[in-house]
Amino acid sequence: MTTDTEEPTLTVDELAARAGVTVRTVRFYSARGLLPPPVIGPRRVGHYSQEHLARLALIEELQHQGMTLAAIERHLTQLPPGLSAHDLAIHRAVVASWAPDAAQDVTREELERRAGRSLGDEDLERLAAMNVIERTADSFRVDPGLLRLGVQLLDVPLAHETILAARTVLLEHSRAAAHELSTLLRDAVGGRESVAAVKSLSAHMQPLVVQALLTTFQRSLKEELREWLKES
């Protein structure tokens, strides 16, 4: 089944598998109002959209930040209505920027549960090449913040070499931007502040900077695509 925009919809079982949660969890969140109701199709079967999947990813990220369900409810009610899956993904990226690096060791079964899909040997090799996972003796060391992105990239119709080249470009430019911003921050405090004060300022600035970078990049990419399509 598809919506008017040809976006595929998911049954509750498919949604749970893609999100890496149980059907019971999906229904629990729905009962708490954390998820909007599904579209009811033929035979009274509920169909969920990519927005539901993105919202589940955001809820999971907020839980990783240590927020209670009550706090998550308040947070979600403050979001603008009608956010698309893309908008929710950007919001989740900003939220994830608050979290410290926290790689975890998981079994293949747990890795696939979190990925929401089975992963073949080729998939694992591609995820390892993107530094999303690292094979250990009997488990996988995974970066939770990159896993969902890496899994989504598995389905992108681009050559693996192109994806890795794009990753290199992003890393080089993001590191350059981080270096220049940190230099500005260091010059602004001029060594007068304590280390604790600088860390506190950085913690407040980080989500704002990430949001600014995401917004600026999004607009710049749209301009580039517009120019490219105009030329073609």
Side-chain angles (χ1 to χ4, degrees), residues 127-140:
L127 291 173
M130 290 186 284
N131 288 335
V132 175
I133 64 171
E134 179 184 352
R135 290 176 181 265
T136 59
D138 54 357
S139 62
F140 296 88

Side-chain angles (χ1 to χ4, degrees), residues 3-4 19 40 45 75 82 158 169 176 196 212 228:
T3 65
D4 293 338
I40 303 301
V45 175
H75 183 87
L158 287 175
V169 170
W228 174 41

